[in-house]
Every structure is written in C-alpha cells, then in structure tokens.
Amino acid sequence: SLPRLLQAYYTPGPLPDEGLLLLSDDGECFTHLFNPSTFLAAAGSMARKIVFVIDVSGSMSGKKLRDAKDAFAAMIETLEERDTLYVQTFSDSGTESLWGPEKATAIAKKLAMVFVSGLYTIGSTNLNDAFLDGIARVRETGSEEVVPILVILTDGQGNIC
C-alpha cells in the first residue's frame, strides 16, 4: 500500500542539535527535521552545481515573474564561492538565454542578479525542452564531489509539446 499523509504537530523553535523525529501513530511513516548547520559541521558539505531554470513565458507576466526573481535572489545568497551556477531562461524554444557557468563569487552572484532582474516575459511555454536542457546541464558535473541541483522556477503552465 502507498504511504498515507502523516499528520504531526511541531511547535516552531530551535531544533535540538540531533534533530527531531516525528513518527506516525502506527510507526510506519516518519518525518525527520534536522538542523543543517549542526549536521553539516559534523559531516562536511560538498560543492554544488546549481542550474536555475526560469520560466519567462507569457503566463509568467506580472507577479509570477517578480516572485521568481525574488526566489532566485533568496536562493543565490545561500551559495558559497566553491559552488557553480547557471541561469537558463525558457519560453517557446526551450532555452531562450543562458548565463554561466560561473563560480558563485560575490561578483558573479551580483552579475547573475543583474541578468535575472532584466528578464521579461515572451512567447509560450516549452516545459519539455527546458527541462531536458536543464537536466543535461546539471548532469555535466564531471565529478562525484559536486552535488548537481536543478531548480525550476515556473508556474507549470506548459503549452508546447
């Protein structure tokens, strides 16, 4: 049988160093909340290769594109200099424009923000080709010591097959 929704109650606050494990009543499902800073300090972290795929199709006009830009700004601030980032926009043709790859230095993050802040909406939504392009880019890590991450910022309203 498929797992069912786990309903758990948690009062927000600092997590214990070892994290918090919430079990379902029957013990078949669980949710594990962990404290990343404590976990990563003990385990160490790896460099990341992050491909941001941003929808610039017509359905993203207005608030949706502003929200995508704000989300990008929040995520890019978490990157470290050893991380690598790409920004790929998509519309009719799948990939419309590409920025990167660049190491996530302070200067590169600022340039990526300038690139993203200048985005505007055009055309239709070719989700399929955009996803395939993003997946191909993220798979080009070339190293087992780099974590590949694909981040898609879209409203999900594809209209080109």
Side-chain angles (χ1 to χ4, degrees):
S1 69
L2 295 174
R4 52 186 204 288
L5 181 63
L6 170 67
Q7 185 173 13
Y9 299 96
Y10 170 69
T11 304
L15 287 175
D17 285 346
E18 67 278 0
L20 183 62
L21 187 64
L22 305 170
L23 297 172
S24 64
D25 292 337
D26 59 12
E28 291 184 15
C29 297
F30 69 91
T31 300
H32 181 213
L33 304 173
F34 69 95
N35 188 342
S37 58
T38 303
F39 173 77
L40 293 176
S45 63
M46 296 172 67
R48 300 167 287 186
K49 176 182 180 183
I50 303 180
V51 178
F52 293 94
V53 179
I54 303 175
D55 186 348
V56 293
S57 66
S59 66
M60 289 289 290
S61 66
K63 183 174 178 358
K64 291 178 185 178
L65 186 58
R66 283 192 307 276
D67 288 347
K69 290 177 180 183
D70 290 345
F72 175 79
M75 286 185 276
I76 199 171
E77 287 304 315
T78 68
L79 301 182
E80 299 174 4
E81 287 196 11
R82 64 188 173 149
D83 299 329
T84 302
L85 70 142
Y86 284 84
V87 180
Q88 169 190 322
T89 66
F90 74 97
S91 183
D92 291 325
S93 306
T95 300
E96 293 291 338
S97 61
L98 181 65
W99 183 94
E102 292 288 335
K103 289 289 186 185
T105 64
I107 292 170
K109 289 194 282 187
K110 182 175 269 223
L111 292 172
M113 281 300 307
V114 168
F115 175 79
V116 169
S117 67
L119 296 178
Y120 54 91
T121 57
I122 55 171
S124 299
T125 312
N126 188 340
L127 283 171
N128 182 64
D129 288 350
F131 284 8
L132 292 176
D133 289 349
I135 290 167
R137 242 174 227 104
V138 83
R139 290 183 70 186
E140 296 169 353
T141 58
S143 171
E144 290 184 10
E145 297 178 10
V146 176
V147 178
I149 300 172
L150 180 64
V151 176
I152 312 276
L153 299 170
T154 180
D155 62 4
Q157 297 181 21
N159 57 10
I160 296 177
C161 296

